[in-house]
Amino acid sequence: EAGVTQFPSHSVIEKGQTVTLRCDPISGHDNLYWYRRVMGKEIKFLLHFVKESKQDESGMPNNRFLAERTGGTYSTLKVQPAELEDSGVYFCASSQGTVRRNTIYFGEGSWLTVV
Amino acid sequence: EDQVTQSPEALRLQEGESSSLNCSYTVSGLRGLFWYRQDPGKGPEFLFTLYSAGEEKEKERLKATLTKKESFLHITAPKPEDSATYLCAVQPLSGGYQKVTFGIGTKLQVIP
């Protein structure tokens, strides 16, 4: 079974540019999450989709971040325009979301460096 | 606010030297506590989910235990390939499945 896949794995962009990160969750997982880890800090929640609907985007830093999940399948996270403090690792994760099958599985992350 | 504190921040062991990693948590009702392993440049790899105090789970040289305030990850006779950062995370009963709080992790180095 394929795991959570993310693209690109690494990205270096200049301040002010736009970057779009993509995530393909595990097949059958309705719940899709975006998390971020900045240098030296713990992993922090950004937002949560159930199928195509945003359930919670309370962790999104500001309106420069836009997440979408077309048709309840893959998701994209766009940062526009990127700032230096956006550098970090962006993890996508998914889960089935039932009472006893709520384990969250992570992708390998998209490492973003803004220069 | 939910909190997770992991200790120690870093741990260096000789191969075969057993030890334990600690995860102390504060949460208003626990839905689940997760342990993950993270290798450099990789995403967190799921190890265990614990749901209630007294529960234990084992996988190879690892055993996770849970009390009402903390969880331990016991490593028995570790090998160099066990070197990684081990992350603990809690998921509260209130709120949705996304309300997961992570600790900063314990970086384990096992020396041959």
Side-chain angles (χ1 to χ4, degrees), chain A residues 7-26:
Chain A
F7 181 84
S9 58
H10 291 81
S11 183
V12 180
I13 62 172
E14 292 184 352
K15 177 181 172 180
Q17 289 187 321
T18 298
V19 64
T20 300
L21 311 177
R22 172 171 169 145
C23 168
D24 287 81
I26 293 172

PDB file of all heavy atoms in Angstrom, chain A residues 7-26:
ATOM      1  N   PHE A   7       5.178  16.299  -2.945  1.00  0.00           N
ATOM      2  CA  PHE A   7       6.029  16.833  -4.000  1.00  0.00           C
ATOM      3  C   PHE A   7       5.979  18.353  -3.970  1.00  0.00           C
ATOM      4  O   PHE A   7       4.913  18.921  -3.753  1.00  0.00           O
ATOM      5  CB  PHE A   7       5.543  16.330  -5.370  1.00  0.00           C
ATOM      6  CG  PHE A   7       6.375  16.817  -6.507  1.00  0.00           C
ATOM      7  CD1 PHE A   7       7.552  16.143  -6.846  1.00  0.00           C
ATOM      8  CD2 PHE A   7       6.019  17.962  -7.214  1.00  0.00           C
ATOM      9  CE1 PHE A   7       8.338  16.598  -7.890  1.00  0.00           C
ATOM     10  CE2 PHE A   7       6.809  18.419  -8.251  1.00  0.00           C
ATOM     11  CZ  PHE A   7       7.972  17.739  -8.589  1.00  0.00           C
ATOM     12  N   PRO A   8       7.083  19.079  -4.143  1.00  0.00           N
ATOM     13  CA  PRO A   8       8.441  18.542  -4.287  1.00  0.00           C
ATOM     14  C   PRO A   8       9.021  18.155  -2.936  1.00  0.00           C
ATOM     15  O   PRO A   8       8.517  18.559  -1.903  1.00  0.00           O
ATOM     16  CB  PRO A   8       9.195  19.731  -4.884  1.00  0.00           C
ATOM     17  CG  PRO A   8       8.522  20.930  -4.282  1.00  0.00           C
ATOM     18  CD  PRO A   8       7.066  20.561  -4.194  1.00  0.00           C
ATOM     19  N   SER A   9      10.089  17.416  -2.940  1.00  0.00           N
ATOM     20  CA  SER A   9      10.726  17.052  -1.684  1.00  0.00           C
ATOM     21  C   SER A   9      11.542  18.225  -1.135  1.00  0.00           C
ATOM     22  O   SER A   9      11.648  18.395   0.082  1.00  0.00           O
ATOM     23  CB  SER A   9      11.613  15.826  -1.863  1.00  0.00           C
ATOM     24  OG  SER A   9      12.590  16.067  -2.853  1.00  0.00           O
ATOM     25  N   HIS A  10      12.113  19.004  -2.036  1.00  0.00           N
ATOM     26  CA  HIS A  10      12.883  20.173  -1.627  1.00  0.00           C
ATOM     27  C   HIS A  10      12.586  21.313  -2.588  1.00  0.00           C
ATOM     28  O   HIS A  10      12.413  21.101  -3.778  1.00  0.00           O
ATOM     29  CB  HIS A  10      14.389  19.889  -1.645  1.00  0.00           C
ATOM     30  CG  HIS A  10      14.844  18.941  -0.593  1.00  0.00           C
ATOM     31  ND1 HIS A  10      14.717  17.580  -0.729  1.00  0.00           N
ATOM     32  CD2 HIS A  10      15.402  19.139   0.630  1.00  0.00           C
ATOM     33  CE1 HIS A  10      15.194  16.983   0.346  1.00  0.00           C
ATOM     34  NE2 HIS A  10      15.623  17.903   1.184  1.00  0.00           N
ATOM     35  N   SER A  11      12.563  22.521  -2.037  1.00  0.00           N
ATOM     36  CA  SER A  11      12.322  23.687  -2.866  1.00  0.00           C
ATOM     37  C   SER A  11      13.054  24.888  -2.268  1.00  0.00           C
ATOM     38  O   SER A  11      12.969  25.114  -1.058  1.00  0.00           O
ATOM     39  CB  SER A  11      10.817  23.962  -2.946  1.00  0.00           C
ATOM     40  OG  SER A  11      10.548  25.034  -3.803  1.00  0.00           O
ATOM     41  N   VAL A  12      13.782  25.586  -3.120  1.00  0.00           N
ATOM     42  CA  VAL A  12      14.456  26.818  -2.696  1.00  0.00           C
ATOM     43  C   VAL A  12      13.907  27.937  -3.568  1.00  0.00           C
ATOM     44  O   VAL A  12      14.026  27.894  -4.789  1.00  0.00           O
ATOM     45  CB  VAL A  12      15.988  26.725  -2.854  1.00  0.00           C
ATOM     46  CG1 VAL A  12      16.634  28.039  -2.387  1.00  0.00           C
ATOM     47  CG2 VAL A  12      16.541  25.552  -2.063  1.00  0.00           C
ATOM     48  N   ILE A  13      13.300  28.933  -2.936  1.00  0.00           N
ATOM     49  CA  ILE A  13      12.713  30.035  -3.698  1.00  0.00           C
ATOM     50  C   ILE A  13      13.137  31.351  -3.069  1.00  0.00           C
ATOM     51  O   ILE A  13      13.578  31.411  -1.914  1.00  0.00           O
ATOM     52  CB  ILE A  13      11.168  29.955  -3.738  1.00  0.00           C
ATOM     53  CG1 ILE A  13      10.581  30.058  -2.327  1.00  0.00           C
ATOM     54  CG2 ILE A  13      10.721  28.682  -4.427  1.00  0.00           C
ATOM     55  CD1 ILE A  13       9.066  30.182  -2.311  1.00  0.00           C
ATOM     56  N   GLU A  14      12.985  32.404  -3.850  1.00  0.00           N
ATOM     57  CA  GLU A  14      13.314  33.728  -3.335  1.00  0.00           C
ATOM     58  C   GLU A  14      12.102  34.334  -2.637  1.00  0.00           C
ATOM     59  O   GLU A  14      10.953  34.033  -2.994  1.00  0.00           O
ATOM     60  CB  GLU A  14      13.778  34.631  -4.471  1.00  0.00           C
ATOM     61  CG  GLU A  14      15.122  34.217  -5.061  1.00  0.00           C
ATOM     62  CD  GLU A  14      15.611  35.192  -6.114  1.00  0.00           C
ATOM     63  OE1 GLU A  14      14.846  36.105  -6.489  1.00  0.00           O
ATOM     64  OE2 GLU A  14      16.758  35.038  -6.568  1.00  0.00           O
ATOM     65  N   LYS A  15      12.391  35.189  -1.703  1.00  0.00           N
ATOM     66  CA  LYS A  15      11.334  35.931  -1.024  1.00  0.00           C
ATOM     67  C   LYS A  15      10.466  36.629  -2.055  1.00  0.00           C
ATOM     68  O   LYS A  15      10.967  37.238  -2.997  1.00  0.00           O
ATOM     69  CB  LYS A  15      11.967  36.963  -0.093  1.00  0.00           C
ATOM     70  CG  LYS A  15      10.994  37.862   0.628  1.00  0.00           C
ATOM     71  CD  LYS A  15      11.746  38.858   1.503  1.00  0.00           C
ATOM     72  CE  LYS A  15      10.788  39.886   2.066  1.00  0.00           C
ATOM     73  NZ  LYS A  15      11.467  40.881   2.915  1.00  0.00           N
ATOM     74  N   GLY A  16       9.144  36.503  -1.871  1.00  0.00           N
ATOM     75  CA  GLY A  16       8.222  37.134  -2.789  1.00  0.00           C
ATOM     76  C   GLY A  16       7.703  36.208  -3.877  1.00  0.00           C
ATOM     77  O   GLY A  16       6.698  36.502  -4.533  1.00  0.00           O
ATOM     78  N   GLN A  17       8.378  35.082  -4.079  1.00  0.00           N
ATOM     79  CA  GLN A  17       7.918  34.121  -5.078  1.00  0.00           C
ATOM     80  C   GLN A  17       6.801  33.251  -4.510  1.00  0.00           C
ATOM     81  O   GLN A  17       6.463  33.324  -3.324  1.00  0.00           O
ATOM     82  CB  GLN A  17       9.089  33.246  -5.555  1.00  0.00           C
ATOM     83  CG  GLN A  17      10.084  33.995  -6.425  1.00  0.00           C
ATOM     84  CD  GLN A  17      11.131  33.054  -7.016  1.00  0.00           C
ATOM     85  OE1 GLN A  17      11.609  32.121  -6.363  1.00  0.00           O
ATOM     86  NE2 GLN A  17      11.508  33.318  -8.263  1.00  0.00           N
ATOM     87  N   THR A  18       6.254  32.427  -5.387  1.00  0.00           N
ATOM     88  CA  THR A  18       5.153  31.536  -5.024  1.00  0.00           C
ATOM     89  C   THR A  18       5.628  30.093  -5.087  1.00  0.00           C
ATOM     90  O   THR A  18       6.404  29.730  -5.979  1.00  0.00           O
ATOM     91  CB  THR A  18       3.969  31.729  -5.989  1.00  0.00           C
ATOM     92  OG1 THR A  18       3.491  33.069  -5.869  1.00  0.00           O
ATOM     93  CG2 THR A  18       2.840  30.752  -5.671  1.00  0.00           C
ATOM     94  N   VAL A  19       5.167  29.301  -4.147  1.00  0.00           N
ATOM     95  CA  VAL A  19       5.475  27.872  -4.174  1.00  0.00           C
ATOM     96  C   VAL A  19       4.185  27.104  -3.907  1.00  0.00           C
ATOM     97  O   VAL A  19       3.344  27.533  -3.107  1.00  0.00           O
ATOM     98  CB  VAL A  19       6.558  27.496  -3.135  1.00  0.00           C
ATOM     99  CG1 VAL A  19       6.078  27.749  -1.712  1.00  0.00           C
ATOM    100  CG2 VAL A  19       6.989  26.046  -3.309  1.00  0.00           C
ATOM    101  N   THR A  20       4.021  26.009  -4.622  1.00  0.00           N
ATOM    102  CA  THR A  20       2.855  25.139  -4.419  1.00  0.00           C
ATOM    103  C   THR A  20       3.340  23.750  -4.075  1.00  0.00           C
ATOM    104  O   THR A  20       4.112  23.139  -4.818  1.00  0.00           O
ATOM    105  CB  THR A  20       1.966  25.090  -5.673  1.00  0.00           C
ATOM    106  OG1 THR A  20       1.514  26.405  -5.976  1.00  0.00           O
ATOM    107  CG2 THR A  20       0.759  24.195  -5.426  1.00  0.00           C
ATOM    108  N   LEU A  21       2.891  23.258  -2.946  1.00  0.00           N
ATOM    109  CA  LEU A  21       3.249  21.928  -2.475  1.00  0.00           C
ATOM    110  C   LEU A  21       2.058  21.005  -2.710  1.00  0.00           C
ATOM    111  O   LEU A  21       0.913  21.401  -2.524  1.00  0.00           O
ATOM    112  CB  LEU A  21       3.589  21.971  -0.981  1.00  0.00           C
ATOM    113  CG  LEU A  21       4.567  23.062  -0.547  1.00  0.00           C
ATOM    114  CD1 LEU A  21       4.759  23.029   0.978  1.00  0.00           C
ATOM    115  CD2 LEU A  21       5.887  22.926  -1.268  1.00  0.00           C
ATOM    116  N   ARG A  22       2.369  19.759  -3.087  1.00  0.00           N
ATOM    117  CA  ARG A  22       1.282  18.818  -3.363  1.00  0.00           C
ATOM    118  C   ARG A  22       1.387  17.619  -2.436  1.00  0.00           C
ATOM    119  O   ARG A  22       2.479  17.180  -2.085  1.00  0.00           O
ATOM    120  CB  ARG A  22       1.349  18.349  -4.811  1.00  0.00           C
ATOM    121  CG  ARG A  22       0.351  17.207  -5.098  1.00  0.00           C
ATOM    122  CD  ARG A  22       0.210  16.848  -6.530  1.00  0.00           C
ATOM    123  NE  ARG A  22      -0.551  15.602  -6.665  1.00  0.00           N
ATOM    124  CZ  ARG A  22      -1.391  15.359  -7.658  1.00  0.00           C
ATOM    125  NH1 ARG A  22      -1.581  16.265  -8.615  1.00  0.00           N
ATOM    126  NH2 ARG A  22      -2.049  14.221  -7.710  1.00  0.00           N
ATOM    127  N   CYS A  23       0.226  17.078  -2.104  1.00  0.00           N
ATOM    128  CA  CYS A  23       0.157  15.907  -1.229  1.00  0.00           C
ATOM    129  C   CYS A  23      -0.865  14.926  -1.759  1.00  0.00           C
ATOM    130  O   CYS A  23      -2.019  15.298  -2.040  1.00  0.00           O
ATOM    131  CB  CYS A  23      -0.224  16.322   0.183  1.00  0.00           C
ATOM    132  SG  CYS A  23      -0.676  14.926   1.253  1.00  0.00           S
ATOM    133  N   ASP A  24      -0.473  13.657  -1.850  1.00  0.00           N
ATOM    134  CA  ASP A  24      -1.410  12.577  -2.164  1.00  0.00           C
ATOM    135  C   ASP A  24      -1.545  11.701  -0.924  1.00  0.00           C
ATOM    136  O   ASP A  24      -0.563  11.061  -0.523  1.00  0.00           O
ATOM    137  CB  ASP A  24      -0.921  11.762  -3.349  1.00  0.00           C
ATOM    138  CG  ASP A  24      -1.071  12.508  -4.666  1.00  0.00           C
ATOM    139  OD1 ASP A  24      -0.197  13.351  -4.977  1.00  0.00           O
ATOM    140  OD2 ASP A  24      -2.077  12.274  -5.358  1.00  0.00           O
ATOM    141  N   PRO A  25      -2.726  11.650  -0.330  1.00  0.00           N
ATOM    142  CA  PRO A  25      -2.885  10.870   0.904  1.00  0.00           C
ATOM    143  C   PRO A  25      -2.957   9.374   0.607  1.00  0.00           C
ATOM    144  O   PRO A  25      -3.008   8.961  -0.557  1.00  0.00           O
ATOM    145  CB  PRO A  25      -4.222  11.364   1.451  1.00  0.00           C
ATOM    146  CG  PRO A  25      -4.999  11.727   0.213  1.00  0.00           C
ATOM    147  CD  PRO A  25      -3.975  12.282  -0.748  1.00  0.00           C
ATOM    148  N   ILE A  26      -2.966   8.592   1.665  1.00  0.00           N
ATOM    149  CA  ILE A  26      -3.161   7.155   1.521  1.00  0.00           C
ATOM    150  C   ILE A  26      -4.575   6.914   0.988  1.00  0.00           C
ATOM    151  O   ILE A  26      -5.535   7.556   1.435  1.00  0.00           O
ATOM    152  CB  ILE A  26      -2.966   6.442   2.874  1.00  0.00           C
ATOM    153  CG1 ILE A  26      -1.494   6.553   3.301  1.00  0.00           C
ATOM    154  CG2 ILE A  26      -3.392   4.988   2.808  1.00  0.00           C
ATOM    155  CD1 ILE A  26      -1.214   6.061   4.704  1.00  0.00           C
TER     156      ILE A  26
END
